[in-house]
Amino acid sequence: MSDKLFLMKPGFTNAGLGPFYCGDSVSVEGLLGFFPALRDMIAVTYIDFPRPRQAIIDLIGEANQSVPVLVLADDATIPPGMDVKMAEGRRFLDDERHIRQYLSARHALPTAG
């Protein structure tokens, strides 16, 4: 399995308000925009706002539906200092800063200054 990144689709509504975009997803989307080849190295899925978010549940369980989330490949080496979580036998990152740091380290990209 390759790394699987889940981002929120923009333009969602919540409690009749909106449209909104997810600021944390935008931050990760910016990294993908700077380095478009990264999209070919990971699986990127855009998720609708309403829960349940079945594609995420299928990988890391109902309690871990936050977005953005990066479900790590089995062979992933984690840089030090990251808050790696575990569910359903899979490791994942759900902090956008750690997602960007991990992707930069794994794919030899520049890091945020």
Side-chain angles (χ1 to χ4, degrees):
M1 176 181 99
S2 65
D3 292 329
K4 295 184 184 296
L5 175 64
F6 294 90
L7 299 172
M8 185 69 62
K9 286 182 183 176
F12 64 87
T13 60
N14 184 11
L17 301 174
F20 298 112
Y21 64 85
C22 170
D24 289 345
S25 288
V26 165
S27 177
V28 178
E29 186 72 48
L31 182 69
L32 297 173
F34 282 153
F35 306 102
L38 186 55
R39 289 182 185 276
D40 296 330
M41 298 177 213
I42 62 174
V44 180
T45 301
Y46 292 90
I47 295 290
D48 290 318
F49 178 76
R51 292 180 185 214
R53 298 175 183 147
Q54 197 60 48
I56 298 173
I57 292 170
D58 290 346
L59 291 174
I60 55 175
E62 189 172 359
N64 300 300
Q65 296 181 58
S66 294
V67 177
V69 65
L70 181 68
V71 181
L72 303 175
D74 295 337
D75 67 345
T77 301
I78 311 301
M82 298 207 171
D83 183 20
V84 178
K85 297 180 180 173
M86 183 86 154
E88 306 296 323
R90 292 192 171 93
R91 299 174 299 161
F92 66 96
L93 299 167
D94 61 2
D95 177 289
E96 58 86 13
R97 291 171 297 125
H98 289 170
I99 291 170
R100 290 185 291 111
Q101 289 170 354
Y102 166 83
L103 290 172
S104 291
R106 179 152 169 99
H107 300 286
L109 302 173
T111 59

